[in-house]
Amino acid sequence: MAINIGQRIRFATGGTISTITGYTVHTFTSSGSFVPTGSGTIEVLVVGGGGTSIINGGGGGGGAVVYNRLANVKSGSPYPIIVGSVSLPGGIGGISTAVFNNVSITAFGGGAGGAPPGGAGISSPNASGGGGGNTFGVGGVS
């Protein structure tokens, strides 16, 4: 999950902070809080966790990606960031969520890969379905 702070917000805490082509970006690889020192708008990119497969099974689906260009924040307010994990073998990826002023920005995890031989991939809502198991497996539907 990545948060780009706007020009009116001089500094914020939370995540790993980097500067990329003039943008200040806060990257969260685990759950935490984002706390701005000014009020204004931010850009938010939320990515769900990837699905997984089992040995010789179909590939897990990619997590959904959600972009919100104008999330409003207030100075000193902590905003919860929940980062979805990659699942256990053969499972659907975790859900990632950021909440700004009672508005949730959520990205669902990817589907699980199908079991061999020929098992269907497991679907995930609003994300990539998992790949089918080898030997003519059917992929999951998103």
Side-chain angles (χ1 to χ4, degrees), residues 12 18 21 34 46 53 58 67 82 89 115 117 123:
S18 56
T21 60
F34 174 76
V46 181
S53 92
Y67 172 70
I82 301 166
S123 299

Side-chain angles (χ1 to χ4, degrees), residues 115-126:
I122 298 173
S123 299
S124 178
N126 301 314

Side-chain angles (χ1 to χ4, degrees), residues 6-140:
Q7 293 178 347
R8 292 179 54 195
I9 302 170
R10 298 278 184 233
F11 185 74
T13 61
T16 301
I17 302 169
S18 56
T19 302
I20 302 170
T21 60
Y23 290 92
T24 300
V25 177
H26 293 250
T27 304
F28 289 83
T29 56
S30 61
S31 298
S33 291
F34 174 76
V35 184
T37 59
S39 297
T41 59
I42 59 173
E43 296 176 84
V44 181
L45 180 71
V46 181
V47 180
T52 60
S53 92
I54 59 174
I55 296 173
N56 295 323
V65 176
V66 179
Y67 172 70
N68 186 319
R69 190 171 146 245
L70 297 173
N72 292 308
V73 294
K74 295 180 181 166
S75 181
S77 296
Y79 296 95
I81 307 297
I82 301 166
V83 175
S85 62
V86 173
S87 67
L88 296 174
I92 292 174
I95 297 171
S96 295
T97 303
V99 180
F100 297 99
N101 302 315
N102 297 320
V103 175
S104 293
I105 304 168
T106 300
F108 289 90
I122 298 173
S123 299
S124 178
N126 301 314
S128 298
N134 61 4
T135 317
F136 308 109
V138 178

